[in-house]
Amino acid sequence: MKIWKLVVLSMVLIVGMTGCNFSSSAPSADTGSNTSKNSDKASNEGTITVYDTNEIRTMVQWAASDSNSFTILNNVSEGLYRLNAKHEPEPALAESYKVSDDKLTYTFTLRKDLKWSNGTPLTAKDFVYAWLKQMSVDATNGYSFIMTDYIVNGAEYLDNKADAASVGVKAINDTTLEVKLKQPTPYFVRLTVLPMFFPLNEEFVKSQGDQYGLKAENMIYCGPYVLATYDPASGSTLKKNDSYWDAANVKVPNVSVRIIKDQATALNAYKSGQLSRVTLSSSDVPSMKSNPEFNSTSEFRTTYIQYNLKDNALTNKNIRLALGYAIDRVTLADKILGDGSAPAPGLIANSMYGDGTKSFRDLNGNLTTFDAAKAKEYWDKGTAELGKAPSLTLLTEDDSVTKTVATYVQDQFKQVLGVDVKIDSKTKKAKNQLMDDNNYQMAITAWGADYDDAMTYLDLWTNGTPYRGNYTSETYNGLIADAKQQKDDAKRLQDMLDAEKTLLTDDAVVSPLFYRGFAYLTKPNVENLVTHPFGTPIEFKYASLK
């Protein structure tokens, strides 16, 4: 797997307002609708304070690979485009772009008079330098592919088979950036919101040498905030960047990001007015749902059952269909998890981009549903074809959430199908190894979106690997191949809609379970503290204080 897909999409987005800290210890018993005597406080002296459960690993852009680093980078810098409060890309350092008729050349026009926080002009050359850095051996974050997969000669440059001048990213002048792609990529602009695409000032970076990114003063900034203090172990403070092109619309002057590793400690800090937002453990959710400060949301991350199509029992399509129909996903998401997770009626998460008017999920409808009668019908057909009821084992990870989900699914199989399915609980590493080694029948696993396009999920099942159930289909692969080279957006979308139906309905390769979510409390005087369901986790730019 590619590292970006391993990290971003196993991101728990835990910046004190995101994440699924299901296994955290429960807080003290005084958690009711009245969370705090200071419940109306959200900040001190114009400051929003949030938290992360892990240390900030690095502020070096080409080395960063964790969600807490992305949180800081996303707020002290930005790219050509930035996600808005509706999670859609909008012009940021670029004011516009044009695409050639063959959809292979993007020409971005930067805003005039952009400046770094030290007063240095920000130009198209800063993007060229940063992108080449990300496509070179200097990049240690494992994300080079996010550019080399798309940009002409990017992969060759990484392999020292092409020089910088031949790579498809060029500064035509100070305000014009030209990007040449290998194939049509309708979501390319949505990629530019990610930290790997942010600009870097070559002169400044080189002047700092190996000290770059180690301290606040070893960096310069082009985002809505600058780092005032930076301590990887204890947290960071940010202050408004007066040199930012849109500084007039940045309403909160100061942000504090603390490191608090224990969820109960974080909740107590929130209750005493020290935090603006806190993530709840699932055990806290029932007592907090009536609190007016309570909210929840789901991410672009799908947990599903992967069937091994080379297993003697699960090679039978009717058995796979029966197992899929036997699961009540609404009860699983709403009652068993109850943390903001949503039932998964398909592989592609709710609200992911579709045609610009409707989401992909709305366009393709509910492909996975609970139907006990159909489940029993398919089970009887399958067992008749096999000659007997199969013995089944469900492979899972050993974290508390997955164990809970597995136990629920096991009970559903027993209640609906009358079958006793064993649970094999392993560490994440051991589970992944068993799947890679083709040593499993079916497993609970998950995938989260790298970018806001269905292809981030759908191209996973084209390679026929054991981890993807040894699935091979000329029909499916043909749909994905056509979608990747398709220049007609409507035809490309139809290819992907058909591909999801082929995967789930026609071939029953996976059974989606839920879209991961989280529940949280936010102080009542904090508004528009935006949490994105994919990519960079949190936006301070749009926040305000009453």
Side-chain angles (χ1 to χ4, degrees):
M1 288 187 190
K2 293 173 178 175
I3 294 178
W4 170 253
K5 295 182 178 179
L6 283 170
V7 177
V8 174
L9 307 196
S10 61
M11 261 188 209
V12 289
L13 308 183
I14 34 182
V15 264
M17 64 294 291
T18 54
C20 302
N21 297 319
F22 300 103
S23 59
S24 298
S25 56
S28 54
D30 61 339
T31 57
S33 59
N34 231 348
T35 56
S36 169
K37 294 178 182 178
N38 297 308
S39 182
D40 60 333
K41 294 182 180 179
S43 65
N44 293 312
E45 300 178 357
T47 300
I48 283 179
T49 303
V50 298
Y51 76 104
D52 200 319
T53 59
N54 294 296
E55 295 182 356
I56 302 167
R57 295 181 184 175
T58 181
M59 284 293 95
V60 177
Q61 184 172 306
W62 60 90
S65 61
D66 58 295
S67 62
N68 47 347
S69 297
F70 292 155
T71 294
I72 304 298
L73 286 169
N74 183 56
N75 285 284
V76 300
S77 189
E78 72 178 7
L80 297 165
Y81 273 62
R82 186 179 198 91
L83 291 180
N84 62 20
K86 296 181 179 180
H87 321 303
E88 300 164 342
E90 66 178 12
L93 296 181
E95 63 181 14
S96 64
Y97 72 95
K98 294 181 180 179
V99 186
S100 61
D101 290 341
D102 62 6
K103 300 188 177 182
L104 296 178
T105 301
Y106 283 67
T107 304
F108 294 90
T109 300
L110 303 189
R111 298 179 186 277
K112 292 180 174 60
D113 301 321
L114 293 173
K115 293 185 182 300
W116 291 93
S117 56
N118 67 348
T120 302
L122 191 158
T123 72
K125 290 180 180 178
D126 295 328
F127 284 95
V128 174
Y129 172 69
W131 293 18
L132 288 173
K133 191 84 165 171
Q134 184 61 62
M135 289 185 282
S136 76
V137 294
D138 291 343
T140 58
N141 54 11
Y143 296 167
S144 293
F145 80 90
I146 206 73
M147 292 183 188
T148 60
D149 279 3
Y150 306 104
I151 297 174
V152 167
N153 281 333
E156 291 79 0
Y157 179 71
L158 177 61
D159 292 337
N160 290 318
K161 295 178 180 178
D163 60 17
S166 68
V167 179
V169 53
K170 290 180 170 57
I172 304 303
N173 53 50
D174 283 352
T175 59
T176 307
L177 180 72
E178 181 186 82
V179 185
K180 290 187 177 294
L181 304 183
K182 301 176 186 178
Q183 65 277 326
T185 308
Y187 52 85
F188 181 73
V189 171
R190 297 199 283 279
L191 293 179
T192 68
V193 306
L194 300 172
M196 296 76 70
F197 289 84
F198 294 170
L200 292 166
N201 183 271
E202 181 175 7
E203 182 179 356
F204 183 86
V205 170
K206 289 183 175 179
S207 73
Q208 300 300 305
D210 60 7
Q211 297 300 299
Y212 179 78
L214 296 185
K215 297 180 180 179
E217 58 265 31
N218 295 133
M219 298 178 66
I220 53 175
Y221 311 96
C222 63
Y225 291 89
V226 301
L227 275 176
T229 65
Y230 166 53
D231 186 328
S234 63
S236 301
T237 58
L238 289 69
K239 66 177 182 179
K240 181 176 174 178
N241 179 10
D242 293 332
S243 299
Y244 180 53
W245 69 269
D246 198 26
N249 289 314
V250 179
K251 298 175 181 177
V252 177
N254 302 292
V255 175
S256 175
V257 181
R258 297 172 54 185
I259 306 299
I260 303 177
K261 297 188 176 183
D262 179 66
Q263 195 274 340
T265 301
L267 183 56
N268 286 332
Y270 178 87
K271 289 160 62 179
S272 65
Q274 299 176 47
L275 290 177
S276 302
R277 185 179 288 185
V278 66
T279 303
L280 297 173
S281 64
S282 53
S283 61
D284 297 326
V285 170
S287 65
M288 293 293 186
K289 276 192 171 180
S290 60
N291 190 324
E293 298 171 17
F294 177 89
N295 211 329
S296 63
T297 189
S298 63
E299 303 170 30
F300 292 177
R301 180 176 175 83
T302 307
T303 296
Y304 55 89
I305 296 176
Q306 173 69 68
Y307 302 114
N308 186 347
L309 305 189
K310 287 192 175 180
D311 177 77
N312 289 335
L314 293 173
T315 192
N316 186 287
K317 178 182 171 181
N318 287 319
I319 294 296
R320 302 195 303 272
L321 285 169
L323 294 170
Y325 277 117
I327 303 166
D328 182 351
R329 294 160 179 83
V330 174
T331 297
L332 171 60
D334 295 348
K335 302 291 180 63
I336 304 302
L337 294 174
D339 54 5
S341 294
L347 180 67
I348 311 305
N350 291 334
S351 301
M352 287 196 72
Y353 188 82
D355 63 2
T357 301
K358 292 183 178 181
S359 71
F360 188 96
R361 187 73 281 126
D362 288 340
L363 291 168
N364 227 20
N366 296 344
L367 301 183
T368 50
T369 58
F370 171 54
D371 190 322
K374 279 188 177 181
K376 195 68 172 69
E377 177 185 347
Y378 281 119
W379 183 259
D380 291 343
K381 287 182 181 179
T383 54
E385 290 165 354
L386 292 173
K388 62 178 181 178
S391 176
L392 298 173
T393 299
L394 179 64
L395 177 64
T396 73
E397 293 178 20
D398 60 359
D399 64 277
S400 59
V401 179
T402 310
K403 284 182 178 179
T404 298
V405 173
T407 301
Y408 173 77
V409 169
Q410 179 188 51
D411 182 67
Q412 289 277 277
F413 292 155
K414 177 65 174 177
Q415 295 298 322
V416 176
L417 302 175
V419 58
D420 291 310
V421 174
K422 296 178 182 178
I423 295 175
D424 183 14
S425 182
K426 302 291 187 185
T427 64
K428 181 182 181 70
K429 181 178 180 180
K431 181 227 103 176
N432 288 346
Q433 191 62 57
L434 286 170
M435 293 182 72
D436 284 335
D437 292 343
N438 206 30
N439 190 13
Y440 73 105
Q441 287 185 295
M442 55 182 179
I444 293 179
T445 189
W447 193 262
D450 293 344
Y451 45 86
D452 188 11
D453 188 87
M455 189 59 75
T456 190
Y457 288 92
L458 295 174
D459 66 357
L460 301 176
W461 280 270
T462 59
N463 54 20
T465 64
Y467 199 95
R468 305 298 168 199
N470 299 289
Y471 177 61
T472 56
S473 165
E474 290 185 8
T475 298
Y476 185 82
N477 286 356
L479 288 168
I480 299 303
D482 187 68
K484 286 187 173 182
Q485 60 82 39
Q486 185 60 251
K487 296 180 182 179
D488 185 315
D489 290 348
K491 290 180 180 179
R492 175 183 183 272
L493 175 61
Q494 190 60 55
D495 281 340
M496 296 194 296
L497 294 169
D498 291 343
E500 189 191 34
K501 289 177 181 176
T502 299
L503 192 69
L504 302 187
T505 304
D506 298 343
D507 295 340
V509 178
V510 297
S511 289
L513 297 174
F514 64 94
Y515 307 130
R516 187 176 68 181
F518 56 91
Y520 56 92
L521 303 175
T522 305
K523 294 297 184 182
N525 70 332
V526 178
E527 295 184 326
N528 300 320
L529 185 56
V530 176
T531 302
H532 295 304
F534 69 99
T536 51
I538 188 73
E539 293 281 359
F540 302 129
K541 174 179 176 177
Y542 311 117
S544 62
L545 295 168
K546 294 181 185 176

